[in-house]
Structure formats: C-alpha cells, structure tokens
Amino acid sequence: MGLKSHRWDPTTWRLKDFVNLDEIGPRMWTSFKENWYMGFTSFGGPPVHFKIFHDKYVSKLSWIDETVYQELFSICQAFSGPGSTKMHYCINLLRLGFPPAVLSFFLWSLPGALGMFGLAIGISNVGETLPGAVYALLSGLNAATVGIIALAAVQLAQKAITDKLTRLLVYLGAAAGLLYNALWYFPVLMLAAGVVAVVWDFRWLHGPVLWVVSKVKKGKVRDEEREVELREQRVPGGSGAEREVVREEDGKGTRERVSTGGDNADGQSQQQLRREEEEAEERVVPRSHQISVMSWKSGLALIVAFLASFVAVMLTRGLIPANPLLYRLFSNLYLAGTIIFGGGPVVIPLLREYIVAENWVSPRDFLIGLALIQGFPGPNFNFAVYLGTLTAINGGYSGVLGGLLGFLAIFLPGLWTVHGTMGLWSAIRGWRWVKSSLRGVNAAAVGLIYTAVYRLWQIGWIDEGFSQGKSLADDPWWVVVTAGSYVGGAWFGVEPPVACIFGAVLGLVRYGVVEAQGY
C-alpha cells in the first residue's frame, strides 16, 4: 500500500495516521529515497543547509509550505541544539512520522560523523606538524566556506525581511553578535527580538507615541491660530485662515470646533494603523491549520523527562569527583548540546572550552578538526565525534567508544527537546503573540548567521605557525577565494561541494606558487 498523498495537508494530519504498520514500509522507503544522499552533498554548514531544505522540501517536494518553514526555522534556532539537524528531523517528522524521521536523521548525520571519526584516527597517528600542503588545502576550504555561508546568509535574510522592523532586527542581530560572544548572549538576543516584534505588532507603544504627536500638533495649531488672529487684527477685512467649522452633538448640546490639517493627519495615521493591523492578522495562521504531532501533554512530558535526565547527568558529574574520563566526556558534551543556542556558530568556542581546556585534545588538533568540519557535508555538530574519538584515544580508550559517546551526547538533547516542543507547538502556534514573537526571533537568528561568517573569517587561515588561526584578510589570495566562492554561487549557480573543491585546489595552488618557490 502506498502513501495516501504526496502533499502534506496540515488540516487533516494526525499522529495516528502514521502508526498503521501497513504503511510503515512505504514511509521508511520514502524517507530513504529522499534523504540518502543529503548527508553526502550538504556542504557549507547550517546557513547553507537551511537553503537546501527550502529548495527541496518547500519548492520541490511541497512537504511543507513557506509559513511552516519559517516557523520551524524560528523554533529550531530559538532552542538549544543543532539548528539544521533539528529542522531536517522536524520536516520528516511532520511528513512521515517518528520512525522515518529517526531514519532520516541517521542518513543525514552518519556520513559526516563517520568521516570525522576516520580523520580523528588519522590525526592521532601523525606527528606534531603536518605538511604545508595540508595546511594550505584546509585554509582554502575555510575561505570557500566563508563565501558559501555569506551567500546563504544574504538569501535567508531576503526571505526573513518582510518589513522595516524585520530589516532592522536582522541588522541589529548581526551587529550585536559581532560585538560580543557568550553562552547566555545569543538566546537573550533572540528573546529580545521576539519581545520587540510583539510590542510592535500589538502596538503597545503606538498609543503613547500618537498621544505625544497629537499634543505637539495641537500646540502647533494653537500657535498658528494665534498668528492668524493677530494678522486679521492688523489687516482689517482680512479673510483669515481657511478653516472649516464642524458642529458636534455630544448629548449636552451642540458645539463647534475648528477642523485643521492636524485632524486629517491623525486620520491618515489611524488608517495606516488599521492597514498594518490587517496585514498582521493575515500573518496569523488560522487555528484550523495548526500542526498536530502529538498532544501538548505528551510534548510537555518529553521535555520534563529530558530535564530530569539532564539533572541526573549533571549531579553525577558534580558529586562524584573520580568519574571515568569517558563519563566526563559524555557529560561535558551532553551539557554543551543542552546549552548551545544558535547552532553551529556557537558550538565551536564552547567545545574548545569543554574539550581543549580540559587538556583532552591539543589546540593544534582542535584547529585542524575545525578546518576539516567546514569542508565536510552534514551537521557541524559532527565535530564532537572527532573530539570524542581523539579524547578516548589520548586517554587510552577505544576511539570507537569515544566517537559514539560524542555523537549521542551532542545530538540527543536537541532532538529530544525539539520533539517535545513540536507537541507544545501544535497547541500554541495559532496564537497571535506567538506568531509575532517568532517573526522577531527569525529575523534575529538570520542576523546571527553573519556572525558565523565573521568568526570563521577571523581564524580561517591556518599554518604551522598559527596555533589559533589567522584572519583570511591578511592575504589577498584568500580574499579572492572567498569572493570567487560567493560570486560562483550567486551568479553562476555553483553548488557548495564544487565551491569547496574549488577552494581546496586554489589553496594547493597558492602553496605551489608561494611556498615551494620561496616567494
């Protein structure tokens, strides 16, 4: 028996529609058919992944519409964990149900995870220094990746910007992300953007502002009237100002007032407010179109269960000082997967703090892995597999066990919580303040993608003498590689994998010309 419909209908979908064992085979096959190659071809990190998902699941397959896509983007960016991985999981969950969504997650993440595991094994067997050609290749990958991410940021911003408010929030999110960096900072920025959008859409400040404006206008009108009266007194027979006498009845008799240009301006302002309110109402999805993955009670139960597991892991970590190395590795990465807000751009400095600062992995190996993950397909959170493998090997344990623990610890918190969140979301997504807040969160999250461009730009050039990385701007060659990657994707439709290969080749060309020739 085949699937009932290729297009997802949010008005009729229920979880019970997908528990029929007669249809589990076709749904699993659909998940495999549509997702098997994405773990091998999705280069460029989360910003590019979001664009790939839009092109495939919205434009090509029509599994979800633009409204649901923007909602999922906001949810996955606003909560902790790997943003693009959570979005990929949620899209498949909505379309195919839970077991196919789990299959899609492994198809999406395992190719990159296995690749990073193999590279960790290789790095653990090399000496303290790498050949210059390897550093040049990795720097070329970084330079090309910066161009890919920059292009994705521009394209996502074009979709997120719907009015002047969202345009301003994208800019402020990017500016704030560049100026400061801390674990608590990104979620606070997105929360603030959501509050600003709610205040704007509900016009909580429009009334006071209009009251102040009206007072200023009335003061100007009174001044003009006095000037006219003085002019009429000085010029006998003057015609006076062109004013209209309006009679009003208020139940106490009839009175007269003067209608001036200020009244007309106030009327235009009120009309503008009404138009904006109608547009805001159009953005609210009718209650009949709400997504229903599970009941909100089930979703809440999942989130509570996760919090209980998190507390148990952290208490064990803190109360038992002599925990084995692998448990400390798991608990550190479980903590990182829980508190990382903002996805890939934030995971790098946090993993440096939780792994390198513990002296489990050397700074050189960390930086090499950072360059490699930029050129690998799939989620950037696979970096935890690389670090877990090296930590286990350096500590005398099995690299396979370390990589597996790193994989589970970094991905499980985000997927667990987002699954529960989808249950809650089905109950509240039609509320107007929720829609307004997500509009702001979405804009700020897109702005933070520009932060990822800047961070990688600042450490993208690696060499034997640059233990912490160096800015790509210090050599015009890398600037040209970055610009070529951006222009190729924007103007000539070059795919991210091709752009990455292009960057790696140009990195080797630079090594051959500059290093080998001694220029």
Side-chain angles (χ1 to χ4, degrees):
M1 183 184 297
L3 286 174
K4 295 179 180 178
S5 173
H6 189 58
R7 176 182 288 272
W8 172 62
D9 182 2
T11 64
T12 60
W13 190 90
R14 295 294 186 273
L15 183 61
K16 62 183 181 181
D17 296 335
F18 287 134
V19 298
N20 189 340
L21 294 180
D22 293 336
E23 294 189 355
I24 189 67
R27 287 187 285 112
M28 296 292 283
W29 167 247
T30 299
S31 177
F32 178 81
K33 180 179 65 174
E34 299 296 346
N35 293 288
W36 71 269
Y37 61 89
M38 296 189 70
F40 296 95
T41 60
S42 299
F43 293 84
V48 183
H49 298 162
F50 290 125
K51 179 179 181 300
I52 292 173
F53 298 159
H54 185 277
D55 293 342
K56 179 178 180 65
Y57 297 117
V58 178
S59 302
K60 182 181 178 181
L61 297 179
S62 299
W63 281 11
I64 57 175
D65 59 23
E66 183 67 33
T67 299
V68 175
Y69 174 87
Q70 294 296 337
E71 291 176 1
L72 291 179
F73 176 79
S74 299
I75 294 172
C76 293
Q77 289 294 89
F79 293 94
S80 62
S84 59
T85 299
K86 290 187 297 181
M87 188 163 187
H88 180 265
Y89 174 82
C90 288
I91 292 173
N92 281 270
L93 178 67
L94 293 176
R95 172 63 185 179
L96 301 172
F98 177 61
V102 174
L103 174 62
S104 72
F105 162 70
F106 286 116
L107 293 172
W108 162 253
S109 58
L110 278 183
L114 293 175
M116 293 304 293
F117 170 77
L119 288 170
I121 297 295
I123 293 296
S124 68
N125 292 306
V126 301
E128 291 298 321
T129 61
L130 293 174
V134 175
Y135 287 117
L137 183 146
L138 296 177
S139 299
L141 282 175
N142 282 343
T145 301
V146 170
I148 295 170
I149 297 176
L151 176 59
V154 171
Q155 293 171 335
L156 287 172
Q158 291 172 345
K159 293 183 174 65
I161 294 173
T162 57
D163 55 14
K164 291 182 179 179
L165 174 66
T166 48
R167 187 181 301 277
L168 181 63
L169 289 176
V170 168
Y171 164 73
L172 292 178
L178 293 177
L179 294 174
Y180 188 70
N181 185 29
L183 293 180
W184 56 268
Y185 189 54
F186 282 6
V188 169
L189 284 179
M190 289 187 283
L191 176 62
V195 171
V196 169
V198 170
V199 171
W200 177 266
D201 286 346
F202 278 78
R203 294 167 183 80
W204 288 342
L205 296 181
H206 283 57
V209 170
L210 287 176
W211 182 82
V212 173
V213 171
S214 65
K215 290 297 183 182
V216 173
K217 288 182 177 180
K218 288 179 180 179
K220 291 182 178 180
V221 169
R222 285 195 294 268
D223 292 340
E224 292 174 358
E225 289 176 350
R226 284 196 294 268
E227 290 180 5
V228 170
E229 291 174 358
L230 291 174
R231 191 180 303 116
E232 290 177 347
Q233 292 174 1
R234 290 194 299 267
V235 183
S239 60
E242 294 182 358
R243 294 176 290 176
E244 178 186 358
V245 177
V246 180
R247 296 183 178 274
E248 296 180 345
E249 295 185 4
D250 58 1
K252 299 180 181 180
T254 302
R255 58 188 176 88
E256 295 182 353
R257 68 175 178 86
V258 177
S259 175
T260 65
D263 297 311
N264 187 41
D266 288 342
Q268 292 178 349
S269 299
Q270 294 295 334
Q271 292 176 2
Q272 176 67 20
L273 288 179
R274 282 194 294 270
R275 284 196 298 269
E276 292 177 359
E277 189 171 289
E278 291 172 358
E279 293 173 359
E281 291 292 346
E282 291 176 357
R283 290 193 293 266
V284 179
V285 178
R287 188 171 297 274
S288 61
H289 286 193
Q290 293 179 10
I291 301 172
S292 179
V293 176
M294 63 178 68
S295 70
W296 68 268
K297 294 180 180 179
S298 299
L300 183 60
L302 277 177
I303 295 176
V304 170
F306 165 75
L307 294 176
S309 73
F310 177 75
V311 170
V313 170
M314 292 301 105
L315 284 177
T316 306
R317 174 177 178 263
L319 297 178
I320 304 177
N323 280 317
L325 172 64
L326 292 182
Y327 182 82
R328 284 181 282 145
L329 168 68
F330 177 83
S331 62
N332 277 18
L333 292 179
Y334 199 74
L335 174 61
T338 302
I339 66 176
I340 289 176
F341 289 82
V346 189
V347 71
I348 303 304
L350 190 61
L351 291 181
R352 178 191 288 270
E353 179 70 20
Y354 285 169
I355 301 296
V356 178
E358 298 278 359
N359 295 319
W360 296 341
V361 174
S362 69
R364 185 210 70 163
D365 291 347
F366 182 91
L367 199 60
I368 291 174
L370 174 60
L372 291 171
I373 195 64
Q374 305 302 329
F376 257 67
N380 282 352
F381 275 54
N382 280 331
F383 192 31
V385 176
Y386 172 87
L387 296 176
T389 303
L390 285 179
T391 298
I393 292 174
N394 294 338
Y397 294 92
S398 167
V400 175
L401 184 57
L404 180 62
L405 289 176
F407 182 84
L408 291 175
I410 202 70
F411 282 110
L412 184 58
L415 293 179
W416 192 340
T417 53
V418 81
H419 194 108
T421 302
M422 293 304 293
L424 294 176
W425 185 242
S426 65
I428 67 174
R429 71 182 291 261
W431 298 359
R432 184 183 170 192
W433 70 268
V434 173
K435 298 294 298 181
S436 296
S437 63
L438 282 184
R439 196 165 70 97
V441 169
N442 184 38
V446 170
L448 290 176
I449 294 176
Y450 290 94
T451 302
V453 177
Y454 175 75
R455 304 286 183 209
L456 182 56
W457 176 265
Q458 290 298 99
I459 61 171
W461 183 10
I462 60 175
D463 205 344
E464 184 178 351
F466 311 147
S467 60
Q468 303 298 323
K470 193 175 181 181
S471 174
L472 294 170
D474 290 343
D475 191 314
W477 184 266
W478 305 127
V479 178
V480 171
V481 175
T482 300
S485 175
Y486 182 95
V487 170
W491 295 352
F492 302 103
V494 176
E495 295 294 329
V498 178
C500 288
I501 295 173
F502 168 80
V505 171
L506 288 183
L508 294 175
V509 169
R510 181 190 181 280
Y511 174 78
V513 173
V514 178
E515 305 293 341
Q517 300 300 325
Y519 290 164

